[in-house]
Amino acid sequence: MVSVSLTVNGKAVTREVEDRTLLVGFLRETLGLTGTHVGCDTSQCGACVVHVDGVAVKSCTMLAAQADGCAVLTIEGLAQGDQLHPVQAAFREHHGLQCGFCTPGMIMAAVDIIRRHGPGIDETTIRHELEGNICRCTGYHNIVKAVKAAAEQSGGMAEAAE
């Protein structure tokens, strides 16, 4: 067992976990934050994307102990109360979701993409950047539209207060 102390969605958290506990398991099972999904267990699908110290990571590839001392942002921490984050609002407005399983990971990846590329991001770059996130419903067209709209609307400032 190892003690892990981190900030999750702005709240300090300390827990004892097994050494081999993945960050996605820590978030879902230990903290009850089930918005981060486990889709493949092999880091291929991107359903588990969260931000660690402001950078998008696949939480199924990181041990909880590796996040010790870090700030973690999950889909649950993205909105400000009842006000959706601009990327969440764009996904809703442009129907960038279908079954919704990939949506949390897509949104978290999109926030990071917009942060890094800014408001002038083009469709080709968005598609390339989202290659690590799989939508089984093949809703990529509307997902790309949503990311582009969010980037344009936010002026590139789509990151949450991390």
Side-chain angles (χ1 to χ4, degrees):
M1 298 292 276
V2 63
S3 179
V4 177
S5 296
L6 55 153
T7 303
V8 178
N9 299 331
K11 297 176 184 166
V13 174
T14 300
R15 298 285 193 284
E16 293 285 325
V17 296
E18 288 187 38
D19 297 353
R20 65 179 183 219
T21 301
L22 295 172
L23 181 57
V24 69
F26 179 78
L27 295 170
R28 290 182 57 82
E29 296 157 24
T30 305
L31 301 182
L33 298 172
T34 58
T36 302
H37 293 162
V38 178
C40 65
D41 285 330
T42 61
S43 77
Q44 300 296 314
C45 75
C48 67
V49 173
V50 299
H51 293 186
V52 177
D53 289 340
V55 177
V57 300
K58 292 181 179 179
S59 60
C60 74
T61 64
M62 183 176 198
L63 295 170
Q66 290 175 290
D68 188 44
C70 295
V72 176
L73 180 67
T74 71
I75 192 72
E76 290 93 344
L78 202 56
Q80 298 298 313
D82 290 340
Q83 185 175 356
L84 293 177
H85 183 278
V87 176
Q88 290 172 309
F91 266 65
R92 181 176 67 186
E93 181 181 336
H94 295 278
H95 196 66
L97 52 102
Q98 288 184 30
C99 80
F101 192 82
C102 72
T103 305
M106 287 283 189
I107 288 173
M108 297 305 289
V111 169
D112 185 62
I113 291 165
I114 294 168
R115 177 189 58 79
R116 288 183 291 108
H117 291 281
I121 190 169
D122 60 74
E123 186 175 319
T124 301
T125 303
I126 294 168
R127 288 182 181 280
H128 175 73
E129 290 278 340
L130 287 176
E131 284 179 358
N133 292 71
I134 296 172
C135 174
R136 294 178 182 154
C137 301
T138 65
Y140 294 103
H141 180 70
N142 288 341
I143 290 168
V144 172
K145 261 178 37 181
V147 174
K148 185 147 181 58
E152 291 168 357
Q153 290 173 358
S154 69
M157 301 304 291
E159 62 276 317
E162 297 183 33

